[in-house]
Amino acid sequence: MPATPGGPTAAPNTAPAAAPARAAAPALPTRPRILSGIQPSGRPHIGNYFGAIQQHIQLQDQGEAFYFIANFHALNTIKDAAQLRELTFDVAATYLALGLDPKKAVFFRQSDVPEVTELAWLLATVTGMGLLERAHAYKDKVAKGSPAGVGLFTYPVLMAADILIYKSQLVPVGQDQVQHIEMTQDMAEHFNHAYGPVLVRPEARLSPTPKVPGTDGQKMSKSYGNTIELFAEGAPLKKAVMGIVTDSTPVEAPKDPQRCTAFALYSLFANESERAELAERYRKGGLGYGEVKKELLARLEAQFAPFRQRRRELLSDRAQVEAVLRDGAERARAVARQTLAEARRACGLE
Ligand code: ADP
Ligand code: TRP
């Protein structure tokens, strides 16, 4: 795949415990169509925030943004209806509390636009098994014990439909989703090759911190039990931060900041000179990991505590959140219907 502005080559950061790279985001096309989704498969965490949510909110001013809660996708993991509803509202309240403005961005539930499942079927008929068999996310999940379900296997086809039905140009995501967007590009190309130029090729856009490590040093993920939740507070927050796995180098000894998960997480909240200063203290020796964790805890509080009250209000006013999602669904559906009609005509269904 060629390097594209804002594409996955923009800010590589592969070492899980390394300090995040901070490349400046390249310029966007004028008012691009932007789209992204997040699964309500658990509570949003700081990996979701620094990989995705933060740039979603920033980008709402720079294009026509469509953001949705991927509840069809979450059915692969959540089998309890009440829990799925609750987590869906939690994700909605999180975005709204953090500044998503429903007047600027179209914000909706994936399942409120059922047209997307029909486009997923059309895409499935132009997709080879080999393409899906190469998906890392599927292989990783199955390797970690998830049942090898058909829904999990065909997940990238539904995700491609999510993207293509809105003719999205930019898809802001974390590193783990880049392969899915490359698969989407392939599916769009196969469809257009068979039926004519209906679908638009999307590009991934990575944040400067596209791979946030979890408390155990692996990628932070709802499914790995290694998250720091965005809206954790009090004892559970402290427990998560103090539980960050570090090595057993004694306090006096010099340490390598690049190999430390606590340093990588602190770096998310620090500016260039603060990072350099802390790195220097690591190298000099005499710095305990506990001290770094306490500083990280203070930074987490400073950044997210101001939004807690707003989130609580939204969670207790479901009608308000529901109204936002319904209005978003109507606006999203108008676009989705049009693309689906073009696709149906192109393949001879109409
Ligand atoms: P999870 O892996 O926790 O289930 P999702 O799959 O719902 O998270 O991801 C929602 C968005 O957050 C996606 O754009 C994804 O790439 C991003 N994301 C998830 N985990 C991380 C992480 N550890 N670092 C950076 N971005 C992440
Ligand atoms: N697969 C994404 C994730 O787990 C969620 C998602 C579903 C998505 N459809 C999408 C992201 C379309 C971007 C675009 O994070």
Side-chain angles (χ1 to χ4, degrees):
M1 212 192 67
T4 49
T9 48
N13 179 20
T14 43
R22 294 207 173 227
L28 298 178
T30 12
R31 302 289 303 162
R33 173 70 55 85
I34 300 162
L35 169 128
S36 198
I38 180 166
Q39 295 192 68
S41 51
R43 292 193 200 287
H45 52 74
I46 63 170
N48 296 141
Y49 182 76
F50 288 101
I53 301 174
Q54 187 181 39
Q55 53 164 351
H56 296 167
I57 291 170
Q58 284 163 356
L59 286 168
Q60 69 185 347
D61 291 310
Q62 294 176 44
E64 275 185 276
F66 284 62
Y67 301 128
F68 66 93
I69 306 172
N71 56 352
F72 277 146
H73 279 108
L75 284 174
N76 281 311
T77 42
I78 308 279
K79 311 290 185 193
D80 175 321
Q83 191 190 12
L84 184 62
R85 271 183 216 112
E86 208 264 305
L87 289 170
T88 302
F89 271 102
D90 194 331
V91 172
T94 296
Y95 268 84
L96 293 168
L98 291 171
L100 181 131
D101 179 349
K103 288 201 269 317
K104 292 182 182 163
V106 179
F107 187 43
F108 59 102
R109 249 182 315 242
Q110 184 183 30
S111 60
D112 287 343
V113 185
E115 286 76 8
V116 79
T117 59
E118 188 172 336
L119 184 62
W121 176 256
L122 303 186
L123 294 175
T125 65
V126 294
T127 303
M129 287 291 284
L131 187 73
L132 296 182
E133 278 163 357
R134 284 193 289 277
H136 308 303
Y138 174 77
K139 286 190 281 194
D140 290 351
K141 283 192 176 141
V142 172
K144 288 204 162 68
S146 298
V150 173
L152 192 61
F153 186 68
T154 60
Y155 180 119
V157 183
L158 180 58
M159 177 159 164
D162 288 328
I163 296 170
L164 298 172
I165 207 160
Y166 303 106
K167 302 202 171 173
S168 316
Q169 294 165 290
L170 273 190
V171 188
V173 284
Q175 180 72 52
D176 59 332
Q177 297 302 315
V178 168
Q179 191 194 27
H180 289 151
I181 293 160
E182 291 168 357
M183 293 164 87
T184 303
Q185 293 169 339
D186 288 346
M187 288 182 227
E189 199 177 301
H190 295 161
F191 186 94
N192 287 350
H193 182 73
Y195 300 119
V198 175
L199 304 174
V200 171
R201 177 188 166 94
E203 301 293 343
R205 183 183 169 91
L206 292 184
S207 81
T209 50
K211 189 172 179 184
V212 174
T215 53
D216 58 357
Q218 290 192 72
K219 182 199 105 102
M220 186 176 289
S221 174
K222 291 173 208 126
S223 41
Y224 301 163
N226 63 358
T227 67
I228 297 174
E229 289 175 11
L230 270 182
F231 285 108
E233 51 185 303
L237 177 59
K238 194 164 174 199
K239 188 166 168 230
V241 173
M242 293 302 162
I244 294 169
V245 177
T246 46
D247 63 25
S248 53
T249 318
V251 173
E252 338 58 85
K255 301 176 183 67
D256 181 358
Q258 299 309 324
R259 300 170 63 89
C260 177
T261 306
F263 181 81
L265 292 173
Y266 167 85
S267 296
L268 297 167
F269 297 89
N271 62 31
E272 209 58 65
S273 70
E274 290 167 330
R275 265 199 306 281
E277 200 181 302
L278 186 65
E280 188 46 36
R281 290 177 63 202
Y282 265 77
R283 291 193 201 98
K284 258 191 17 219
L287 173 72
Y289 292 125
E291 215 180 307
V292 182
K293 292 177 185 177
K294 278 199 196 113
E295 183 55 32
L296 171 60
L297 193 58
R299 299 281 174 132
L300 275 158
E301 284 284 341
Q303 177 135 1
F304 298 114
F307 304 106
R308 283 180 193 149
Q309 183 53 25
R310 179 75 188 123
R311 171 174 169 274
R312 260 188 232 116
E313 283 162 18
L314 286 158
L315 282 176
S316 63
D317 186 357
R318 296 252 168 145
Q320 189 192 343
V321 175
E322 185 62 33
V324 166
L325 295 176
R326 277 185 200 256
D327 174 64
E330 231 169 85
R331 289 152 70 199
R333 226 174 156 182
V335 179
R337 281 205 186 100
Q338 213 168 347
T339 309
L340 184 62
E342 286 171 40
R344 286 175 59 105
R345 229 174 288 127
C347 42
L349 295 170
E350 287 174 14

